[in-house]
Amino acid sequence: MKISFNWLKQFINIDWDSQKTSELLTDLGLEVEGVTSFESVKGGLKGVVVGHVLSCEKHSNADKLKVTLVDIGNENPVQIVCGAPNVAVGQKVPVATIGTTLYTKEGESWTIKKGKIRGEESHGMICAEDELGLGQSHDGIMVLAENLTPGTLCSEIFEIENDEIFEIGLTPNRADAMSHFGVARDLKAGLKQKEVEIELITPPVTNFNVNARSLKFDVSVENNELAPRYAGVTLSNLIVQPSPDWLQNRLNAIGITPKNNLVDATNYVLHELGQPLHAFDAAKIKGNKVVVKTLPKGTKFTTLDGIERELHEEDLMICDAEKPMCIAGVFGGMHSGVSENTTSIFLESAYFNAVSVRKTAKRHALNTDASFRFERGIDIENVEYSLKRAALLINEIAGGEITSDIIDLYPNKAKAFEVFVPFDKIHSLIGQEIPRDTIKSILTSLDIKVKSVTEAGLGLEVPTYRVDVQRPVDVIEEILRVYGYNNIDFTQKLNASIAGTSKFDDHKIQNTIGNTLASKGFYEIMTNSLTSPEYTNLSEHLKQEDSVEIINPLSGDLSIMRQSSLFSSLEVASYNINRKKSNLQLFEFGKTYCVENKERKESKYLSILISGNRNNQNWAEDSKKSDFFYTKAIVELVLERLGIQNTKSVPISNTDYSEGLSYEVKGRSIVDFGIIKPSICKKLEVKQDVMFAHFNWDMALQLASANSIVFKEIPKYPEVKRDFALLLDNHVSFKEIHDIALQTEKKLLKKVTLFDVYTGKKLAAGKKSYAVSFTLQDNKSTLTDKQIDKIMNKLKYRFENDLAAELR
């Protein structure tokens, strides 16, 4: 939020500089993020002086140029070459002297230098309005008043406003400070705490009078809950024209582009008092009626930006007898606003329900200065005062007269909020005892009335504009910020307690697995938990009725909580692939959400997405494409790092995969992984194979924490390896060989490895050859040939009997 220092001084006559003022505002909770300078004329006309044209001759080498001799207040006149058709002897003109910086309309700067134009020296520039930023005209040079003295600074002749602008980082709860008057009110309280007594100056409205009752509208509100207060007045015989310079300067200073005097007046009061207003062209209001109501869903309405919108049945509208004219508190309509031909207006000032305005603004993706304030809560008691202030301002700058009484529909008057604040709670929260007189003085300076004082505490009445002060703790915060956080003492002693943590805490295991995956070239991603309901329709595995829906979604594409991490990961993949990053290895820790048995449930997950090549091609090796088995290796790496063993692989039941596996522990799936269906990938514009793994992280944490780590010494004695070449039937799997071998020799057999498979014409039909390696080791002594042969004979016997194997 931008606050003009000059504008602020209209309410509080402070002689502090901007630096000191910004420090106090920051201490009060209105953090000043920066202070910038503003000049109503860029450059401030520095170096531009009054010149007196002494002579004017035609240029000898150019028909359209003239050579002038100009007195600029120095001992010697200067020669200036000028191309303006209206330059003449005797004129007083603005002269940009050598070294002066001028600015274009686009803000680019250029410096006046001594030079030669067609052979004639030129020592400056006689300027037109637009070249100085004083107007739009470029028909000729600017001619000044004859009584001006040559050499006079033009910055002294023209009213150049220099201002300093505070950029305030306003927190959402401080609705009371969304105006210059609100900031001044806070500043006054802070100054009082520093023993600087300054009165707050409020714009007078006592001279508000109805000139004639010639233009009256019937105004009605159909829903007082959505519009608790609605007021309006008419003004006639107005002249629409540009606003005066002082008003344009005020708006330009805070980044508001002036339009015309009527619109500018409403914007001025908005930023002055924090009350949004809207001016309707009275000639465009049909049936002399203004009705505040909701309309049927699907009603078409074109807003000021030219966009036709479909209204929701809860959108509050300002209508006439035939049509809607404005989205209440949000945005005006194309066909009811002020134009160059407007001569009379209906001026609206209202208080609209904050929740209703917020929902409407979000629904239509609109964010205006008015909705910004209505959403946070304005002062309902300020409605009529602001209306009078705006009406008087319009009278001042647009002429005309007030042609109706103020219509003020305010059936249920708002009451100030009452709260009791115990003294002991004040002292316990602040950590320091503040004198009671100081507390009462601070509260009074904030317009919080002290209704009663007891030994126990204070009975207070909070003004209606402080919508954020509803609890004792809120009052204490107000006391503390005005008293000054810097004035609270703190001890030199620091007490802390050491919290007991487990090595199996979620964040620690996440870091461990994250580091493991990162070491393999994976990147961590973080995606939005909100997603589109369309993704549920892409999956046979997900059900629409199981979705957790958002009551007030930002958009239709973000209206439910995700049931699966797949689609958010595919969005990331699509984004990267479309930007020529097709080799992807991604992982994410997050949560999924669903409804089970009418209860909402959230589950933690770890997802892994792999697509493209495993490595980039280089001189030493070709690129290798990622595949199912690479994904399987990564999944098993994660399980191994978690210490999870004895998993059982079963066919995957999730239909989002074209092929895959599921690893189970005690009948519960801990991870599903495989290749995602191409049809799903295509819907998200991913045209390459995608391998995906989804871990049940809650279950992984339970299994990891249940593991007991066993330490054992590294064996001192060597390993022995022996191989068998086994001729087997085709249906025999390596797993059968592996299991039989470990059952036969449980003590000394450490590892069974398959290192070659052969099928071919040299083997009988239905046969295959497995080359299997057996690793033997005794932790207590070196194995002898006799021991080794005995074990190998036992293995041979089992393979021959159980698998009908033959040694080749």
Side-chain angles (χ1 to χ4, degrees):
M1 182 181 70
K2 293 183 178 180
I3 293 294
S4 158
F5 198 21
N6 289 349
W7 199 342
L8 198 62
K9 290 177 182 177
Q10 291 181 199
F11 301 104
I12 186 164
N13 189 14
I14 183 174
D15 58 1
W16 286 14
D17 60 23
S18 61
Q19 178 64 32
K20 194 174 180 181
T21 304
S22 66
E23 289 174 359
L24 178 55
L25 287 173
T26 300
D27 289 343
L28 289 167
L30 303 178
E31 182 181 1
V32 178
E33 297 174 341
V35 181
T36 57
S37 297
F38 169 78
E39 295 171 324
S40 58
V41 175
K42 186 74 172 176
L45 299 183
K46 293 177 182 177
V48 182
V49 299
V50 174
H52 181 203
V53 181
L54 302 177
S55 67
C56 180
E57 304 290 340
K58 184 179 178 182
H59 196 294
S60 58
N61 297 318
D63 292 339
K64 295 184 178 181
L65 296 179
K66 296 177 182 178
V67 180
T68 64
L69 193 64
V70 183
D71 178 8
I72 58 172
N74 296 336
E75 293 182 3
N76 299 315
V78 295
Q79 178 174 291
I80 299 175
V81 177
C82 180
N86 64 326
V87 63
V89 174
Q91 291 175 335
K92 298 291 176 64
V93 293
V95 177
T97 58
I98 292 173
T100 298
T101 299
L102 298 179
Y103 296 85
T104 64
K105 294 178 181 179
E106 293 74 24
E108 297 179 359
S109 63
W110 52 290
T111 303
I112 303 298
K113 297 179 181 179
K114 176 183 176 182
K116 281 189 175 183
I117 301 176
R118 296 289 183 92
E120 294 287 349
E121 289 188 358
S122 184
H123 297 265
M125 176 179 173
I126 303 175
C127 301
E129 276 186 8
D130 63 334
E131 292 166 337
L132 296 176
L134 294 172
Q136 303 296 323
S137 175
H138 194 71
D139 295 336
I141 60 168
M142 192 175 185
V143 180
L144 305 177
E146 294 182 359
N147 61 346
L148 295 175
T149 304
T152 303
L153 296 177
C154 285
S155 58
E156 297 176 0
I157 300 171
F158 300 99
E159 294 183 2
I160 308 299
E161 179 161 353
N162 296 304
D163 199 354
E164 290 172 290
I165 310 302
F166 299 123
E167 186 67 45
I168 294 179
L170 192 68
T171 53
N173 64 308
R174 292 303 309 277
D176 63 294
M178 293 187 297
S179 64
H180 286 75
F181 182 76
V183 173
R185 186 168 49 201
D186 237 30
L187 193 58
K188 174 181 176 291
L191 289 169
K192 184 175 182 180
Q193 182 59 26
K194 293 185 178 295
E195 299 181 354
V196 179
E197 293 284 348
I198 295 181
E199 289 297 321
L200 191 64
I201 304 167
T202 56
V205 294
T206 52
N207 57 340
F208 178 89
N209 289 304
V210 179
N211 304 110
R213 292 174 175 83
S214 57
L215 182 60
K216 183 180 178 182
F217 288 93
D218 292 329
V219 181
S220 62
V221 176
E222 293 188 0
N223 190 331
N224 289 320
E225 289 185 6
L226 299 183
R229 187 174 190 182
Y230 190 87
V233 69
T234 64
L235 292 94
S236 302
N237 302 321
L238 303 172
I239 301 174
V240 178
Q241 59 189 357
S243 297
D245 289 343
W246 69 266
L247 178 51
Q248 292 195 42
N249 289 340
R250 286 283 179 267
L251 296 179
N252 280 322
I254 59 173
I256 304 297
T257 303
K259 293 180 176 61
N260 58 57
N261 48 2
L262 300 186
V263 175
D264 292 348
T266 60
N267 282 333
Y268 183 86
V269 175
L270 166 70
H271 292 278
E272 179 187 51
L273 302 176
Q275 172 66 47
L277 303 117
H278 191 77
F280 298 92
D281 189 330
K284 299 175 183 177
I285 302 176
K286 303 298 181 182
N288 279 5
K289 285 186 177 182
V290 175
V291 185
V292 184
K293 63 180 181 179
T294 56
L295 295 173
K297 183 177 182 179
T299 302
K300 306 290 186 181
F301 178 67
T302 304
T303 46
L304 274 172
D305 53 6
I307 298 174
E308 185 179 74
R309 304 176 189 274
E310 283 193 8
L311 299 178
H312 189 270
E313 66 267 20
E314 294 181 359
D315 292 338
L316 187 65
M317 304 296 295
I318 312 299
C319 309
D320 61 17
E322 299 177 2
K323 65 184 185 303
M325 300 188 295
C326 174
I327 303 177
V330 181
F331 211 24
M334 173 69 79
H335 306 297
S336 62
V338 171
S339 68
E340 295 178 355
N341 301 319
T342 298
T343 58
S344 58
I345 63 171
F346 175 76
L347 185 62
E348 165 197 278
S349 179
Y351 178 94
F352 298 118
N353 180 278
V355 175
S356 173
V357 172
R358 186 183 304 116
K359 286 183 177 180
T360 297
K362 294 293 183 185
R363 205 153 29 227
H364 298 291
L366 291 170
N367 183 21
T368 62
D369 285 334
S371 68
F372 179 82
R373 285 158 176 79
F374 279 124
E375 287 175 14
R376 287 156 178 79
I378 61 170
D379 182 12
I380 195 170
E381 294 298 323
N382 197 33
V383 168
E384 184 183 12
Y385 171 74
S386 299
L387 184 64
K388 289 180 178 179
R389 167 65 174 151
L392 291 172
L393 181 59
I394 290 172
N395 270 160
E396 177 186 338
I397 63 177
E401 53 189 7
I402 299 171
T403 51
S404 76
D405 292 310
I406 288 179
I407 302 164
D408 188 4
L409 304 180
Y410 190 16
N412 302 310
K413 187 172 176 61
K415 296 180 180 179
F417 183 77
E418 294 186 354
V419 61
F420 181 79
V421 184
F423 285 121
D424 58 352
K425 190 171 182 65
I426 297 174
H427 302 148
S428 65
L429 281 180
I430 293 177
Q432 178 176 316
E433 189 165 335
I434 298 176
R436 295 186 179 185
D437 288 341
T438 302
I439 291 173
K440 289 188 283 186
S441 174
I442 290 172
L443 292 173
T444 302
S445 70
L446 292 170
D447 294 340
I448 298 176
K449 294 181 181 178
V450 180
K451 302 288 287 185
S452 63
V453 182
T454 67
E455 285 300 315
L458 299 169
L460 305 173
E461 186 178 273
V462 181
T464 54
Y465 67 80
R466 289 312 305 267
V467 294
D468 60 318
V469 180
Q470 301 291 303
R471 304 167 299 171
V473 68
D474 297 327
V475 176
I476 296 170
E477 182 185 2
E478 292 299 295
I479 295 169
L480 183 54
R481 71 179 182 84
V482 176
Y483 182 75
Y485 290 96
N486 296 331
N487 295 325
I488 301 300
D489 296 330
F490 59 92
T491 62
Q492 300 297 319
K493 181 181 178 182
L494 180 64
N495 296 325
S497 57
I498 299 174
T501 60
S502 168
K503 60 186 176 183
F504 297 111
D505 284 349
D506 188 3
H507 70 279
K508 291 185 178 180
I509 297 181
Q510 282 192 30
N511 286 338
T512 299
I513 299 302
N515 290 335
T516 300
L517 291 170
S519 70
K520 293 294 182 181
F522 283 74
Y523 290 91
E524 185 172 10
I525 60 174
M526 296 179 68
T527 59
N528 198 341
S529 296
L530 300 176
T531 189
S532 170
E534 292 183 6
Y535 293 150
T536 309
N537 300 328
L538 296 179
S539 171
E540 297 177 7
H541 183 68
L542 306 177
K543 297 179 181 179
Q544 190 72 48
E545 59 267 24
D546 293 341
S547 298
V548 178
E549 297 182 355
I550 304 301
I551 295 175
N552 185 25
L554 295 172
S555 68
D557 291 336
L558 299 172
S559 60
I560 65 170
M561 306 291 283
R562 62 183 170 203
Q563 290 189 60
S564 169
S565 61
L566 170 62
F567 297 101
S568 53
S569 296
L570 285 174
E571 285 179 344
V572 176
S574 176
Y575 181 90
N576 282 275
I577 291 169
N578 289 336
R579 286 156 182 79
K580 306 300 182 183
K581 184 70 175 176
S582 57
N583 300 330
L584 302 172
Q585 296 190 124
L586 311 171
F587 73 95
E588 179 183 27
F589 293 97
K591 292 180 179 180
T592 56
Y593 310 84
C594 66
V595 177
E596 286 186 7
N597 300 323
K598 298 183 180 180
E599 291 186 1
R600 293 171 185 166
K601 180 182 177 182
E602 64 179 47
S603 305
K604 296 178 182 177
Y605 69 83
L606 162 64
S607 65
I608 295 174
L609 182 144
I610 301 171
S611 187
N613 295 328
R614 293 168 53 180
N615 63 295
N616 294 321
Q617 185 175 0
N618 57 58
W619 67 272
E621 60 179 343
D622 292 333
S623 60
K624 296 179 181 178
K625 193 173 182 180
S626 301
D627 55 16
F628 172 82
F629 295 101
Y630 176 65
T631 306
K632 181 173 179 287
I634 295 299
V635 167
E636 291 177 351
L637 172 66
V638 172
L639 293 174
E640 181 182 353
R641 191 67 184 87
L642 289 168
I644 298 174
Q645 302 173 352
N646 302 321
T647 58
K648 180 183 178 181
S649 64
V650 298
I652 196 166
S653 60
N654 190 330
T655 53
D656 293 341
Y657 297 86
S658 60
E659 54 184 286
L661 286 175
S662 180
Y663 281 172
E664 294 183 349
V665 177
K666 297 181 180 179
R668 293 176 60 198
S669 175
I670 187 170
V671 57
D672 292 340
F673 66 95
I675 303 174
I676 299 300
K677 282 182 176 179
S679 59
I680 293 178
C681 296
K682 186 178 179 180
K683 288 289 186 180
L684 283 96
E685 300 181 356
V686 178
K687 298 178 182 178
Q688 59 193 48
D689 288 344
V690 173
M691 277 63 68
F692 189 75
H694 181 91
F695 286 81
N696 182 339
W697 191 248
D698 290 308
M699 183 178 176
L701 292 174
Q702 292 175 8
L703 294 173
S705 60
N707 286 332
S708 57
I709 299 174
V710 178
F711 296 90
K712 58 184 178 181
E713 293 182 0
I714 297 174
K716 298 177 182 179
Y717 302 98
E719 294 178 344
V720 175
K721 289 189 177 181
R722 292 290 186 270
D723 301 337
F724 277 163
L726 300 173
L727 187 64
L728 301 159
D729 293 333
N730 277 338
H731 66 82
V732 178
S733 67
F734 170 69
K735 187 175 187 302
E736 293 177 270
I737 298 171
H738 179 274
D739 293 345
I740 289 172
L742 292 177
Q743 290 170 9
T744 304
E745 178 53 55
K746 297 180 179 179
K747 182 178 179 183
L748 300 179
L749 181 59
K750 304 300 182 183
K751 188 187 299 182
V752 182
T753 307
L754 176 66
F755 65 89
D756 187 41
V757 178
Y758 174 73
T759 57
K761 295 179 181 179
K762 295 182 180 181
L763 298 180
K767 294 290 185 178
K768 62 183 176 182
S769 176
Y770 273 2
V772 185
S773 175
F774 302 90
T775 302
L776 306 171
Q777 188 179 40
D778 189 344
N779 296 334
K780 297 181 180 178
S781 62
T782 302
L783 289 170
T784 63
D785 289 341
K786 186 177 180 180
Q787 288 175 295
I788 295 168
D789 291 341
K790 183 179 178 181
I791 293 170
M792 298 308 294
N793 287 331
K794 286 167 60 179
L795 292 174
K796 175 187 174 186
Y797 176 79
R798 286 292 304 274
F799 294 150
E800 290 173 345
N801 282 276
D802 294 359
L803 303 175
E806 298 177 25
L807 285 181
R808 293 185 65 200

